[in-house]
Each structure stands twice: as structure tokens, then as C-alpha cells.
Amino acid sequence: MRRIRVCIVGGGASGLACARVFALDEYNCEPTVFEQNSYVGGQWHYDSDGTSETTAVYKNLRTNLPCCAMQYSDFPFPSNPPESYVDCKTVEDYLIAYAEKNQLYQYICLNTTVNSIDETYTVTYTVKCNSQYELPHRPHRKLLEKNENYAIYSEQFDAICVANGHYSDIYMPNDIPGLYNQTFPIIHSRSYRTPENYRDKCIIVVGASHSGVDICGELTSVAKQVILSMKEGNEASFELVIKLLQQSGKTICTDYLSTIFSIVPSIERIDRDTVFFKNQTSVKPDLIIFATGYEYRMPFLQGKLQVDQTRLLQDHYVYPLYKQLFHANFPDGTLSFLTIPYRIVPFPLAELQSHVVARVLRKKILLPSTEQMTFEIDNSSLPRNRTYHCVDCIKYVEDFLEMMRESDKDFKYKFTIDNQRCMRQQIQ
């Protein structure tokens, strides 16, 4: 049986899980991971100066999931109690240990940026020339260009798995009058690293998701005033984030409600040095931090491999994805996208999705036709906006478990998920 050559774009947690699964003997695949950085782990690598475009973790960040849920199905966190919430360095070390234990570095090309992937699954990629890192020998690659700084190659594969994450391209609102005529600095939370940089300042944080609320809590220890601007209707989400932060042991911004911290509605407009809110209040801040999330981007996909650009750029979701995993125009499963949804448990989900993709490629699972998949996508009740990819994690995983059920008889294990969202391999 011929080995299936699979290109995996991205060497973060999802890409590592994908490489591990595709390297299993039972799938007879040959994975190749292209990672643009000089390290694996993706967003979990801490960049102290805040200039990296591929990591958004800040110094005091702690996971919003306990280790027992966050871990891969067969690889527990080595030195941490299952109920603990850990920092980003612990997670990065965990991912490196996972790659080492499973001997994944033999499949990984570091310092390698994917430039384009065409309809023949020919990947064009650029490798930074670095005397400290030597690109593994690749018999299928063709040299296109080379100089002292980089080399450009092309290489054809049988399947593509996109695992480039969605915490790199920032989303900034474009509907705030006066936003770019202000006299004070604005940054995105991707650039935030430590609260010490904001001592004695008046700061507005826009966005009540996990990072926004967590950053507010950190800032209360040093700032003169911290104001959270939150959209109407986000109260339930805010309360959930507060609960998760309490569980992880972080400082909670609401503990300072009567002193430093306050909550206001959305920004109505900005007039140079003054921010006006929709409740007719205003403030002159030293800085605004936009914790407003990120965009999905796959600029390397060409021709028919592209996702719908109107929906991607205007409506902020990825279409047409069957089960939010497979490109519907490729019913053989040769173009897939890992961990696109949010409100998920990403590490084990990437692992599970990779098993599903591998079984589709090996025809252990058959996808519906393009027409059937597109019909199901178009007739779903999901909102056509950036909340399109917000899923109920347990139900989402159970859908995959059902897809795999018939093929499980051909393998020595199957997967389970409990009501705490912990996924495990179960020997049959």
C-alpha cells in the first residue's frame, strides 16, 4: 500500500498532533510539517518584547482549562496535578516533550514558510538559511531559487492539512468613528505582555473575552484606572470568564469594582483625546487595548483550494467546511483544516480530527458527495458571522466519534469524551 504524503502547515499544538497521528503505522502516511518559526509550539512560545506575529501569550497567562482536559489523549502533563491550571512555559515544555517522545522532529521543517499551495497540491516554500539549523533531506523537493539568506523549493503532496492556527492576524473594529484620529496609543492584546508597562495609566480594554477580562485583572495591580468596554448582551460570557479565572487562581478585575475597575458599554466615538461611550459617559485615556480577537487567514491556498473570500473577509468565518474540518469541494478528504472552531479543547480535538482525516484518506470513512456536504453546510442554523465557529465542544466531539464508530472495529483503540470535556483513548 502506497504511503500518502501529507503536508501539514504549522507546527503548533494542532500540527504536532496531526504529525503524530499520521506517523502511526496503521495509517501508512508520510507527514511533513512546515513551521515558519525556529521552534515548535506555536502560540505557546513566550515572546517578551511583544513583536511576534505568531504568539499572543503574555507573561502571567494561565490556561483556562485544567491539565486533565487540555492534554493529548495518551500523554499527560508530566509534573502537574490533573486539576491544575498552568502557565505558558509549562505548556510549551509539554509540547516539546510530546514532539520528542513521539520522535516528531524527523517530520518537521523549521524556519520554513509556506508561500503557496496550488491545485495539484504542489507546495512552494521558503527556508531561511541558518547555519545552526539544517533542513532535513527531502528527495521530492525541487530547488527554485537560492541565495545567502534563503532558499525556495517546491514539492508535491497527496493531501494538505492546514494547522496554521487563528491567533496571528488581529481583528480590529472598523465601525468606531474617530478611531484612527486619536491622540493616544492603541494596541491589540496580541502585543500585551506584562502589566508593569502600564503603571499609573488610565486604560480602556475593549472586549470581554478571556484575554480582555484577564488583562483587566492584571492591570488593576498597577494602573490608575481600568475600564472594560463590553458589548450589550455579553454578560453571560463575562461571568463565565470570571469563573474560569477564579479557578485558575488569577487576580479578578471585579474585586476592584468600587475602586480602580469599571465596566462601560461599547465605544460610541473617539474625538482626539476623548473616548465617548454609549451610556453618554466619556474619559480621556492614556491607552486603549483592543482584546477583540483574531481573523482566520490561509493566504497560501490558491485557485480551487481557497475558501470563500467574501465570507472570510467580510463575515469572518471559513466556508465551505463540512463538520468545520473538510473542504466540501474535496470529498476525498485531501484538504482539511484543524481546530477551526472555538470554545473547544484544542490539543485532544486536533488529535481526534487528525484520526478522522487519516481514516478518510485511507477510505475507512467515506465523506458524502460535494453536493451533499454543501447542502448540509448551507442549511445549517449556524449564524453567518464570526460566531459561526463557536461550538458545543462535547456535541462536536460526539459527532466525530459517531463518524468513527464503524471504522473503530479496524483499530485497537477508540476515543471517548466525558462531561468535563476530557478525551481519552480506550483500548479495545
Side-chain angles (χ1 to χ4, degrees), residues 44 59-63 85-92:
W44 292 101
K59 183 177 181 180
N60 300 319
L61 179 143
R62 300 188 75 81
T63 58
Y85 296 77
V86 296
D87 59 29
C88 57
K89 182 64 167 64
T90 300
V91 178
E92 183 183 33

Side-chain angles (χ1 to χ4, degrees), residues 32-53:
T32 296
V33 179
F34 292 120
E35 168 53 52
Q36 64 181 314
N37 291 305
S38 59
Y39 49 82
V40 299
Q43 64 160 326
W44 292 101
H45 178 80
Y46 176 64
D47 159 47
S48 59
D49 61 13
T51 59
S52 172
E53 294 183 358

Side-chain angles (χ1 to χ4, degrees), residues 69-102:
M70 194 168 185
Q71 68 193 26
Y72 295 115
S73 70
D74 61 350
F75 190 72
F77 277 76
S79 306
N80 303 91
E83 300 79 18
S84 61
Y85 296 77
V86 296
D87 59 29
C88 57
K89 182 64 167 64
T90 300
V91 178
E92 183 183 33
D93 289 345
Y94 170 81
L95 293 173
I96 292 170
Y98 178 80
E100 291 173 343
K101 177 181 184 294
N102 294 296

Side-chain angles (χ1 to χ4, degrees), residues 151-370:
I152 301 176
Y153 297 95
S154 69
E155 190 170 346
Q156 190 170 27
F157 292 85
D158 301 310
I160 306 295
C161 194
V162 178
N164 67 331
H166 40 89
Y167 294 101
S168 297
D169 289 271
I170 62 174
Y171 168 73
M172 295 283 283
N174 57 9
D175 58 351
I176 300 176
L179 176 58
Y180 296 106
N181 294 318
Q182 85 291 338
T183 58
F184 48 82
I186 59 172
I187 67 167
H188 190 274
S189 57
R190 187 184 69 183
S191 301
Y192 172 85
R193 290 297 180 267
T194 63
E196 286 76 18
N197 296 331
Y198 308 98
R199 183 171 297 277
D200 299 325
K201 295 185 183 298
C202 172
I203 304 163
I204 299 171
V205 177
V206 178
S209 61
H210 192 94
S211 59
V213 180
D214 190 15
I215 289 170
C216 282
E218 291 196 359
L219 292 172
T220 54
S221 66
V222 298
K224 178 173 64 177
Q225 186 178 9
V226 180
I227 301 166
L228 175 64
S229 174
M230 182 172 69
K231 285 184 177 179
E232 185 179 352
N234 282 6
E235 291 79 10
S237 175
F238 174 78
E239 293 300 328
L240 175 61
V241 172
I242 291 293
K243 180 180 178 181
L244 291 171
L245 290 170
Q246 287 172 329
Q247 290 173 346
S248 67
K250 291 296 294 284
T251 300
I252 307 303
C253 55
T254 49
D255 291 345
Y256 297 83
L257 262 175
S258 60
T259 54
I260 297 169
F261 178 69
S262 60
I263 301 173
V264 298
S266 298
I267 295 174
E268 182 178 71
R269 61 187 173 89
I270 299 173
D271 187 358
R272 296 188 60 77
D273 65 343
T274 306
V275 176
F276 296 86
F277 302 101
K278 292 187 176 179
N279 63 351
Q280 282 72 58
T281 61
S282 64
V283 69
K284 295 179 185 291
D286 295 302
L287 174 81
I288 296 182
I289 300 176
F290 282 93
T292 44
Y294 298 84
E295 300 279 21
Y296 297 94
R297 291 292 184 266
M298 306 90 177
F300 43 82
L301 297 177
Q302 305 294 307
K304 295 178 182 177
L305 276 60
Q306 288 189 338
V307 297
D308 185 290
Q309 294 299 295
T310 299
R311 290 175 170 91
L312 186 70
L313 300 176
Q314 296 183 15
D315 303 323
H316 312 289
Y317 71 97
V318 187
Y319 174 97
L321 296 191
Y322 179 68
K323 306 296 184 186
Q324 304 212 23
L325 175 60
F326 294 101
H327 196 304
N329 292 341
F330 299 86
D332 56 0
T334 52
L335 180 55
S336 57
F337 302 76
L338 291 185
T339 54
I340 289 290
Y342 62 96
R343 300 275 174 89
I344 58 169
V345 185
F347 295 11
L349 178 62
E351 181 186 1
L352 181 69
Q353 288 181 322
S354 298
H355 278 280
V356 173
V357 174
R359 293 187 189 187
V360 170
L361 293 177
R362 279 297 169 205
K363 297 184 171 32
K364 297 290 186 180
I365 297 174
L366 297 180
L367 295 178
S369 67
T370 291

